[in-house]
Amino acid sequence: MFEEREHALLVELLDISQSGARFVAPVGDVRVADHVAFGFVMPDRLSCHAKGQVVRVDDAGQFVLSLDDSNDAFAGFIRLLEANN
């Protein structure tokens, strides 16, 4: 959820790490410096949550979020991804 918006924005997650994430959204819906919180649920896990600030947006609607906070479930999910690569 973008802090400055009343409604959630549907985005697609492209890449994720402990320190950031890359998404794609409709062109023009995201601006540098927007504050964003997101979450997702994995089977047999608690809900993963993270938040941060948009640091880069391109003309195709892709944007990069620099994370400044996440919960333990999110950190565990990232560790699981790293262990499988």
Coordinates of all heavy atoms in Angstrom, one line a residue:
M1 N 0.8 -1.2 0.0 CA 0.0 0.0 0.0 C 0.9 1.2 0.0 O 1.8 1.3 0.8 CB -0.9 0.0 1.2 CG -1.8 1.1 1.4 SD -3.1 1.1 0.2 CE -4.2 2.2 0.8
F2 N 0.6 2.1 -0.9 CA 1.3 3.4 -0.9 C 0.7 4.3 0.2 O -0.5 4.5 0.3 CB 1.2 4.1 -2.3 CG 1.9 3.3 -3.4 CD1 1.4 2.2 -3.9 CD2 3.1 3.9 -3.8 CE1 2.2 1.5 -4.9 CE2 3.8 3.2 -4.8 CZ 3.3 2.0 -5.3
E3 N 1.6 4.9 1.0 CA 1.1 5.7 2.1 C 0.3 6.9 1.6 O -0.6 7.3 2.3 CB 2.3 6.3 2.9 CG 3.0 5.2 3.7 CD 4.1 5.8 4.5 OE1 4.4 7.0 4.5 OE2 4.8 5.0 5.3
E4 N 0.5 7.4 0.5 CA -0.1 8.6 0.0 C -1.5 8.3 -0.7 O -2.2 9.2 -1.1 CB 0.7 9.4 -1.0 CG 2.0 9.9 -0.4 CD 3.2 8.9 -0.3 OE1 3.0 7.8 -1.0 OE2 4.1 9.1 0.4
R5 N -1.8 7.0 -0.8 CA -3.0 6.6 -1.6 C -4.1 6.0 -0.7 O -3.7 5.4 0.3 CB -2.6 5.6 -2.6 CG -1.6 6.1 -3.6 CD -1.2 5.0 -4.5 NE 0.0 5.4 -5.3 CZ 0.0 5.6 -6.6 NH1 -1.2 5.5 -7.3 NH2 1.0 6.0 -7.2
E6 N -5.3 6.2 -1.1 CA -6.4 5.6 -0.3 C -6.6 4.1 -0.6 O -7.0 3.3 0.3 CB -7.7 6.3 -0.7 CG -7.8 7.7 -0.1 CD -9.2 8.3 -0.4 OE1 -10.2 7.5 -0.4 OE2 -9.3 9.5 -0.6
H7 N -6.2 3.7 -1.8 CA -6.5 2.3 -2.3 C -5.2 1.6 -2.6 O -4.2 2.3 -3.0 CB -7.4 2.3 -3.5 CG -8.7 3.0 -3.2 ND1 -9.7 2.4 -2.4 CD2 -9.2 4.2 -3.6 CE1 -10.7 3.3 -2.4 NE2 -10.4 4.3 -3.1
A8 N -5.2 0.3 -2.4 CA -4.0 -0.5 -2.8 C -3.8 -0.5 -4.3 O -4.7 -0.3 -5.1 CB -4.2 -1.9 -2.3
L9 N -2.6 -0.7 -4.7 CA -2.2 -0.7 -6.2 C -1.8 -2.1 -6.5 O -0.9 -2.7 -5.8 CB -1.1 0.3 -6.5 CG -0.6 0.3 -7.9 CD1 -1.6 0.8 -8.9 CD2 0.6 1.2 -8.0
L10 N -2.4 -2.7 -7.5 CA -2.0 -4.1 -7.9 C -0.6 -4.0 -8.7 O -0.6 -3.3 -9.7 CB -3.0 -4.7 -8.8 CG -2.8 -6.2 -9.2 CD1 -2.7 -7.1 -8.0 CD2 -3.9 -6.6 -10.1
V11 N 0.4 -4.7 -8.2 CA 1.7 -4.7 -8.8 C 2.2 -6.1 -9.0 O 1.6 -7.1 -8.3 CB 2.7 -3.9 -8.0 CG1 2.3 -2.5 -7.8 CG2 2.9 -4.5 -6.6
E12 N 3.2 -6.3 -9.8 CA 3.8 -7.7 -10.0 C 5.2 -7.6 -9.4 O 6.0 -6.8 -9.8 CB 3.8 -8.0 -11.5 CG 4.4 -9.4 -11.8 CD 4.5 -9.7 -13.3 OE1 3.9 -8.9 -14.1 OE2 5.1 -10.7 -13.6
L13 N 5.5 -8.6 -8.6 CA 6.8 -8.7 -8.0 C 7.7 -9.4 -9.0 O 7.4 -10.5 -9.5 CB 6.7 -9.6 -6.7 CG 8.1 -9.9 -6.0 CD1 8.7 -8.6 -5.5 CD2 7.8 -10.8 -4.9
L14 N 8.9 -8.7 -9.3 CA 9.8 -9.3 -10.3 C 11.1 -9.9 -9.6 O 11.6 -10.8 -10.1 CB 10.2 -8.2 -11.3 CG 9.1 -7.5 -12.1 CD1 9.7 -6.3 -12.9 CD2 8.4 -8.5 -12.9
D15 N 11.5 -9.3 -8.5 CA 12.7 -9.7 -7.9 C 12.7 -9.2 -6.4 O 12.1 -8.2 -6.1 CB 13.9 -9.0 -8.6 CG 15.3 -9.6 -8.2 OD1 15.3 -10.7 -7.6 OD2 16.3 -9.0 -8.5
I16 N 13.3 -10.0 -5.5 CA 13.2 -9.6 -4.1 C 14.5 -10.1 -3.4 O 15.1 -11.0 -3.7 CB 12.0 -10.3 -3.5 CG1 11.7 -9.7 -2.1 CG2 12.1 -11.8 -3.4 CD1 10.3 -10.1 -1.6
S17 N 14.9 -9.3 -2.4 CA 16.0 -9.6 -1.5 C 15.7 -9.0 -0.2 O 14.7 -8.4 0.1 CB 17.3 -9.0 -2.1 OG 17.3 -7.6 -1.9
Q18 N 16.7 -9.2 0.8 CA 16.5 -8.7 2.1 C 16.5 -7.2 2.1 O 15.9 -6.6 3.0 CB 17.6 -9.2 3.0 CG 17.5 -8.9 4.5 CD 16.3 -9.6 5.1 OE1 16.0 -10.7 4.8 NE2 15.6 -8.9 5.9
S19 N 17.2 -6.6 1.2 CA 17.3 -5.1 1.2 C 16.4 -4.4 0.2 O 16.3 -3.1 0.2 CB 18.8 -4.7 1.0 OG 19.2 -5.1 -0.3
G20 N 15.8 -5.1 -0.7 CA 15.0 -4.4 -1.7 C 14.1 -5.3 -2.6 O 14.2 -6.6 -2.4
A21 N 13.3 -4.7 -3.4 CA 12.5 -5.5 -4.3 C 12.2 -4.7 -5.6 O 12.3 -3.5 -5.6 CB 11.1 -5.8 -3.6
R22 N 11.9 -5.4 -6.6 CA 11.6 -4.8 -7.9 C 10.3 -5.2 -8.4 O 9.9 -6.4 -8.3 CB 12.7 -5.2 -9.0 CG 12.5 -4.5 -10.3 CD 13.7 -4.7 -11.2 NE 14.0 -6.1 -11.4 CZ 13.8 -6.8 -12.5 NH1 13.3 -6.2 -13.5 NH2 14.1 -8.1 -12.5
F23 N 9.4 -4.3 -8.7 CA 8.1 -4.5 -9.1 C 7.8 -3.9 -10.5 O 8.6 -3.1 -11.0 CB 7.1 -3.9 -8.1 CG 7.2 -4.4 -6.7 CD1 8.1 -3.8 -5.8 CD2 6.4 -5.4 -6.3 CE1 8.2 -4.2 -4.5 CE2 6.5 -5.9 -5.0 CZ 7.4 -5.2 -4.1
V24 N 6.6 -4.2 -11.1 CA 6.1 -3.5 -12.2 C 4.7 -3.1 -11.9 O 3.9 -3.9 -11.3 CB 6.2 -4.3 -13.5 CG1 5.4 -5.6 -13.5 CG2 6.0 -3.5 -14.7
A25 N 4.3 -1.9 -12.3 CA 3.0 -1.4 -12.0 C 2.6 -0.6 -13.3 O 3.4 -0.3 -14.2 CB 3.0 -0.4 -10.8
P26 N 1.3 -0.2 -13.4 CA 0.9 0.6 -14.5 C 1.8 1.9 -14.6 O 2.1 2.5 -13.6 CB -0.5 0.9 -14.2 CG -1.0 -0.2 -13.3 CD 0.2 -0.6 -12.5
V27 N 2.2 2.2 -15.8 CA 3.0 3.4 -16.0 C 2.4 4.6 -15.4 O 1.2 4.9 -15.6 CB 3.3 3.6 -17.5 CG1 4.1 4.8 -17.8 CG2 4.1 2.4 -18.0
G28 N 3.2 5.4 -14.7 CA 2.7 6.6 -14.1 C 2.1 6.5 -12.7 O 1.8 7.5 -12.1
D29 N 1.9 5.3 -12.2 CA 1.3 5.1 -10.9 C 2.3 5.2 -9.7 O 1.8 5.2 -8.6 CB 0.5 3.8 -10.8 CG -0.8 3.9 -11.5 OD1 -1.3 5.0 -11.9 OD2 -1.5 2.8 -11.6
V30 N 3.6 5.2 -10.0 CA 4.6 5.2 -9.0 C 5.6 6.3 -9.2 O 6.0 6.5 -10.4 CB 5.3 3.8 -9.0 CG1 6.4 3.7 -7.9 CG2 4.3 2.7 -8.8
R31 N 6.0 6.9 -8.1 CA 7.0 8.0 -8.2 C 8.2 7.7 -7.3 O 8.0 7.1 -6.2 CB 6.3 9.3 -7.8 CG 5.2 9.8 -8.8 CD 4.6 11.1 -8.3 NE 4.2 11.0 -6.9 CZ 3.0 10.7 -6.4 NH1 2.1 10.3 -7.3 NH2 2.8 10.7 -5.1
V32 N 9.3 8.2 -7.6 CA 10.5 8.1 -6.7 C 10.1 8.8 -5.4 O 9.4 9.9 -5.5 CB 11.7 8.8 -7.4 CG1 12.9 8.9 -6.4 CG2 12.2 8.0 -8.6
A33 N 10.5 8.3 -4.3 CA 10.3 8.8 -3.0 C 8.9 8.3 -2.4 O 8.7 8.6 -1.2 CB 10.5 10.3 -2.8
D34 N 8.1 7.7 -3.2 CA 6.8 7.1 -2.6 C 7.2 6.1 -1.5 O 8.2 5.4 -1.6 CB 6.0 6.3 -3.6 CG 5.2 7.2 -4.5 OD1 5.1 8.4 -4.3 OD2 4.7 6.7 -5.6
H35 N 6.4 6.1 -0.4 CA 6.6 5.1 0.7 C 5.6 4.0 0.4 O 4.4 4.2 0.2 CB 6.4 5.8 2.0 CG 7.5 6.8 2.3 ND1 8.7 6.4 2.9 CD2 7.6 8.1 2.1 CE1 9.4 7.5 3.0 NE2 8.8 8.5 2.5
V36 N 6.1 2.7 0.5 CA 5.3 1.6 0.1 C 5.4 0.5 1.2 O 6.5 0.2 1.7 CB 5.8 1.0 -1.2 CG1 5.0 -0.2 -1.6 CG2 5.7 2.1 -2.3
A37 N 4.3 -0.1 1.5 CA 4.3 -1.3 2.3 C 3.6 -2.4 1.5 O 2.7 -2.2 0.8 CB 3.5 -1.1 3.6
F38 N 4.2 -3.7 1.6 CA 3.6 -4.8 0.9 C 3.7 -6.0 1.7 O 4.4 -6.1 2.7 CB 4.3 -5.0 -0.5 CG 5.7 -5.5 -0.4 CD1 6.0 -6.8 -0.6 CD2 6.7 -4.6 -0.3 CE1 7.3 -7.3 -0.5 CE2 8.0 -5.0 -0.2 CZ 8.3 -6.4 -0.4
G39 N 2.9 -7.0 1.3 CA 2.9 -8.3 2.0 C 2.4 -9.4 1.2 O 1.8 -9.1 0.1
F40 N 2.7 -10.6 1.6 CA 2.2 -11.8 0.9 C 2.2 -12.9 1.9 O 2.8 -12.9 2.9 CB 3.0 -12.1 -0.4 CG 4.5 -12.2 -0.1 CD1 5.1 -13.4 0.2 CD2 5.3 -11.0 -0.2 CE1 6.5 -13.5 0.5 CE2 6.7 -11.1 0.1 CZ 7.3 -12.3 0.4
V41 N 1.4 -14.0 1.5 CA 1.3 -15.1 2.4 C 1.8 -16.3 1.6 O 1.5 -16.6 0.5 CB -0.2 -15.4 2.8 CG1 -0.3 -16.6 3.6 CG2 -0.7 -14.2 3.5
M42 N 2.7 -17.1 2.3 CA 3.2 -18.3 1.8 C 2.6 -19.5 2.5 O 2.3 -19.4 3.7 CB 4.8 -18.4 2.0 CG 5.5 -17.2 1.3 SD 5.3 -17.3 -0.5 CE 6.1 -18.8 -0.9
P43 N 2.4 -20.6 1.8 CA 1.8 -21.8 2.5 C 2.7 -22.2 3.7 O 3.9 -22.1 3.6 CB 1.9 -22.9 1.4 CG 2.0 -22.1 0.1 CD 2.7 -20.8 0.4
D44 N 2.0 -22.5 4.8 CA 2.7 -23.0 6.0 C 3.6 -21.9 6.6 O 4.5 -22.3 7.3 CB 3.5 -24.3 5.8 CG 2.6 -25.4 5.2 OD1 1.4 -25.4 5.6 OD2 3.1 -26.2 4.4
R45 N 3.4 -20.7 6.3 CA 4.2 -19.6 6.9 C 3.3 -18.5 7.4 O 2.2 -18.3 7.0 CB 5.2 -19.0 5.9 CG 6.2 -19.9 5.5 CD 7.3 -19.1 4.7 NE 8.4 -20.0 4.5 CZ 9.5 -20.1 5.3 NH1 9.5 -19.4 6.4 NH2 10.5 -20.9 5.1
L46 N 3.8 -17.6 8.2 CA 3.1 -16.4 8.6 C 3.1 -15.5 7.5 O 3.9 -15.6 6.5 CB 3.8 -15.8 9.8 CG 3.9 -16.6 11.1 CD1 4.7 -15.9 12.2 CD2 2.5 -16.9 11.6
S47 N 2.4 -14.4 7.6 CA 2.3 -13.4 6.5 C 3.6 -12.6 6.5 O 4.1 -12.2 7.5 CB 1.1 -12.5 6.8 OG 1.0 -11.6 5.8
C48 N 4.2 -12.5 5.3 CA 5.4 -11.7 5.1 C 5.1 -10.3 4.8 O 4.3 -10.0 4.0 CB 6.2 -12.3 4.0 SG 6.7 -14.0 4.2
H49 N 5.7 -9.3 5.6 CA 5.5 -7.9 5.4 C 6.8 -7.2 5.3 O 7.8 -7.5 6.0 CB 4.7 -7.3 6.5 CG 3.3 -7.9 6.7 ND1 2.3 -7.5 5.9 CD2 2.8 -8.9 7.5 CE1 1.2 -8.2 6.3 NE2 1.5 -9.0 7.2
A50 N 6.8 -6.1 4.5 CA 8.0 -5.3 4.4 C 7.5 -3.9 3.9 O 6.5 -3.7 3.4 CB 9.0 -5.8 3.4
K51 N 8.4 -2.9 4.2 CA 8.1 -1.5 3.7 C 9.4 -0.8 3.4 O 10.5 -1.2 3.9 CB 7.3 -0.8 4.7 CG 7.9 -0.5 6.0 CD 7.0 0.2 7.0 CE 7.7 0.5 8.3 NZ 6.9 1.4 9.2
G52 N 9.3 0.2 2.6 CA 10.4 1.0 2.2 C 10.1 2.1 1.3 O 8.9 2.5 1.2
Q53 N 11.1 2.6 0.6 CA 10.9 3.8 -0.3 C 11.3 3.5 -1.7 O 12.3 2.8 -1.9 CB 11.7 5.0 0.3 CG 11.5 6.3 -0.4 CD 12.1 7.4 0.3 OE1 12.9 7.3 1.3 NE2 11.9 8.6 -0.2
V54 N 10.5 4.0 -2.6 CA 10.8 3.9 -4.1 C 12.1 4.7 -4.4 O 12.1 5.9 -4.1 CB 9.7 4.3 -4.9 CG1 10.0 4.3 -6.4 CG2 8.4 3.5 -4.7
V55 N 13.1 4.1 -4.9 CA 14.4 4.8 -5.3 C 14.6 4.9 -6.8 O 15.5 5.6 -7.2 CB 15.6 4.1 -4.6 CG1 15.5 4.2 -3.1 CG2 15.7 2.6 -5.0
R56 N 13.8 4.1 -7.6 CA 14.0 4.2 -9.0 C 12.7 3.8 -9.7 O 12.1 2.8 -9.3 CB 15.2 3.3 -9.5 CG 15.5 3.4 -10.9 CD 16.8 2.7 -11.3 NE 16.7 1.3 -10.9 CZ 17.7 0.6 -10.3 NH1 18.8 1.3 -10.0 NH2 17.6 -0.6 -9.9
V57 N 12.4 4.5 -10.8 CA 11.2 4.2 -11.6 C 11.6 4.3 -13.1 O 12.3 5.3 -13.4 CB 10.0 5.1 -11.3 CG1 8.8 4.8 -12.2 CG2 9.6 5.1 -9.9
D58 N 11.2 3.4 -13.9 CA 11.6 3.5 -15.3 C 10.3 3.7 -16.2 O 9.2 3.7 -15.7 CB 12.4 2.3 -15.9 CG 11.6 1.0 -16.0 OD1 10.4 1.0 -16.0 OD2 12.3 0.0 -16.1
D59 N 10.5 4.0 -17.5 CA 9.4 4.3 -18.4 C 8.5 3.1 -18.6 O 7.4 3.3 -19.2 CB 10.0 4.8 -19.7 CG 10.7 6.1 -19.6 OD1 10.4 6.9 -18.6 OD2 11.5 6.5 -20.4
A60 N 8.9 1.9 -18.3 CA 8.1 0.7 -18.5 C 7.2 0.4 -17.3 O 6.5 -0.6 -17.3 CB 8.9 -0.5 -18.9
G61 N 7.3 1.2 -16.2 CA 6.5 0.9 -15.0 C 7.2 0.1 -14.0 O 6.7 -0.1 -12.9
Q62 N 8.5 -0.3 -14.2 CA 9.2 -1.0 -13.2 C 9.7 0.0 -12.2 O 10.1 1.1 -12.5 CB 10.4 -1.8 -13.8 CG 10.0 -2.9 -14.7 CD 11.1 -3.8 -15.1 OE1 12.2 -3.9 -14.4 NE2 11.0 -4.5 -16.2
F63 N 9.7 -0.5 -10.9 CA 10.2 0.4 -9.9 C 11.0 -0.4 -8.8 O 10.7 -1.6 -8.7 CB 9.1 1.3 -9.2 CG 8.1 0.5 -8.4 CD1 8.2 0.4 -7.0 CD2 7.0 0.0 -9.1 CE1 7.2 -0.2 -6.3 CE2 6.0 -0.7 -8.3 CZ 6.1 -0.8 -7.0
V64 N 11.9 0.2 -8.2 CA 12.8 -0.5 -7.2 C 12.5 0.2 -5.8 O 12.4 1.4 -5.7 CB 14.3 -0.3 -7.6 CG1 15.1 -0.9 -6.5 CG2 14.5 -1.0 -8.9
L65 N 12.3 -0.7 -4.9 CA 12.0 -0.3 -3.5 C 13.1 -0.7 -2.6 O 13.6 -1.8 -2.6 CB 10.7 -1.1 -3.1 CG 10.1 -0.8 -1.7 CD1 9.6 0.7 -1.7 CD2 9.0 -1.7 -1.4
S66 N 13.7 0.3 -1.9 CA 14.7 0.1 -0.9 C 14.0 -0.2 0.4 O 13.3 0.7 0.9 CB 15.6 1.3 -0.8 OG 16.6 1.1 0.2
L67 N 14.2 -1.4 1.0 CA 13.5 -1.8 2.2 C 14.1 -1.2 3.4 O 15.4 -1.3 3.5 CB 13.4 -3.3 2.3 CG 12.6 -4.0 1.1 CD1 12.6 -5.5 1.4 CD2 11.2 -3.4 1.0
D68 N 13.3 -0.7 4.3 CA 13.9 -0.2 5.6 C 13.3 -1.0 6.8 O 13.7 -0.7 7.9 CB 13.7 1.3 5.7 CG 12.3 1.8 5.5 OD1 11.4 1.1 5.9 OD2 12.1 2.9 5.0
D69 N 12.3 -1.9 6.5 CA 11.7 -2.6 7.6 C 11.0 -3.9 7.1 O 10.5 -3.8 6.0 CB 10.7 -1.8 8.4 CG 10.2 -2.4 9.7 OD1 11.0 -3.2 10.3 OD2 9.1 -2.1 10.1
S70 N 11.1 -5.0 7.8 CA 10.4 -6.2 7.4 C 10.2 -7.0 8.7 O 10.9 -6.9 9.7 CB 11.2 -7.0 6.4 OG 12.4 -7.4 6.9
N71 N 9.3 -8.0 8.6 CA 9.0 -8.8 9.7 C 9.9 -10.1 9.7 O 10.5 -10.3 8.7 CB 7.5 -9.1 9.9 CG 6.9 -10.0 8.8 OD1 7.6 -10.3 7.9 ND2 5.7 -10.3 9.0
D72 N 9.9 -10.9 10.7 CA 10.7 -12.1 10.8 C 10.3 -13.1 9.7 O 11.2 -13.8 9.2 CB 10.6 -12.7 12.1 CG 11.3 -11.9 13.2 OD1 12.2 -11.1 12.9 OD2 10.9 -12.1 14.4
A73 N 9.0 -13.2 9.4 CA 8.6 -14.1 8.3 C 9.2 -13.8 7.0 O 9.6 -14.6 6.2 CB 7.0 -14.2 8.3
F74 N 9.3 -12.5 6.7 CA 9.9 -12.0 5.5 C 11.3 -12.4 5.4 O 11.8 -12.9 4.4 CB 9.7 -10.5 5.3 CG 10.3 -9.9 4.1 CD1 9.5 -9.8 2.9 CD2 11.6 -9.5 4.0 CE1 10.0 -9.3 1.7 CE2 12.1 -9.0 2.8 CZ 11.3 -8.9 1.7
A75 N 12.1 -12.1 6.5 CA 13.5 -12.5 6.5 C 13.7 -14.0 6.4 O 14.6 -14.4 5.7 CB 14.1 -12.0 7.9
G76 N 12.8 -14.8 7.0 CA 12.9 -16.3 6.8 C 12.6 -16.7 5.4 O 13.3 -17.6 4.9
F77 N 11.7 -16.0 4.7 CA 11.4 -16.4 3.3 C 12.6 -16.1 2.4 O 13.0 -16.9 1.6 CB 10.2 -15.6 2.9 CG 9.9 -15.7 1.4 CD1 9.4 -16.9 0.9 CD2 10.1 -14.6 0.5 CE1 9.2 -17.0 -0.5 CE2 9.9 -14.8 -0.8 CZ 9.4 -16.0 -1.3
I78 N 13.3 -14.9 2.7 CA 14.5 -14.6 1.9 C 15.6 -15.6 2.2 O 16.3 -16.0 1.2 CB 14.9 -13.1 2.2 CG1 13.8 -12.1 1.8 CG2 16.2 -12.8 1.5 CD1 13.4 -12.1 0.4
R79 N 15.8 -16.0 3.4 CA 16.8 -17.0 3.7 C 16.5 -18.3 3.0 O 17.4 -19.0 2.4 CB 16.9 -17.2 5.2 CG 17.7 -16.1 5.9 CD 18.0 -16.5 7.4 NE 16.8 -16.8 8.2 CZ 16.1 -15.9 8.8 NH1 16.5 -14.6 8.8 NH2 15.1 -16.2 9.6
L80 N 15.2 -18.7 2.9 CA 14.9 -19.9 2.2 C 15.2 -19.8 0.7 O 15.7 -20.7 0.1 CB 13.4 -20.2 2.4 CG 12.8 -21.4 1.7 CD1 13.4 -22.7 2.3 CD2 11.3 -21.4 1.9
L81 N 14.9 -18.6 0.1 CA 15.2 -18.4 -1.3 C 16.7 -18.5 -1.5 O 17.1 -19.1 -2.5 CB 14.7 -17.0 -1.8 CG 13.2 -16.8 -2.0 CD1 12.9 -15.4 -2.3 CD2 12.7 -17.8 -3.0
E82 N 17.5 -17.9 -0.7 CA 18.9 -17.9 -0.8 C 19.5 -19.3 -0.7 O 20.4 -19.7 -1.4 CB 19.6 -17.0 0.2 CG 19.3 -15.5 -0.1 CD 19.7 -14.6 1.1 OE1 20.0 -15.1 2.2 OE2 19.8 -13.4 0.8
A83 N 18.9 -20.1 0.2 CA 19.4 -21.5 0.4 C 19.1 -22.4 -0.8 O 19.8 -23.3 -1.1 CB 18.8 -22.1 1.6
N84 N 18.1 -22.0 -1.6 CA 17.7 -22.8 -2.7 C 18.4 -22.4 -4.0 O 18.1 -23.0 -5.0 CB 16.1 -22.8 -2.9 CG 15.4 -23.6 -1.8 OD1 15.9 -24.6 -1.4 ND2 14.3 -23.1 -1.4
N85 N 19.2 -21.4 -3.9 CA 19.9 -20.9 -5.2 C 21.3 -21.3 -5.1 O 22.0 -21.7 -4.4 CB 19.8 -19.4 -5.3 CG 18.5 -19.0 -5.8 OD1 17.8 -19.7 -6.5 ND2 18.0 -17.8 -5.4

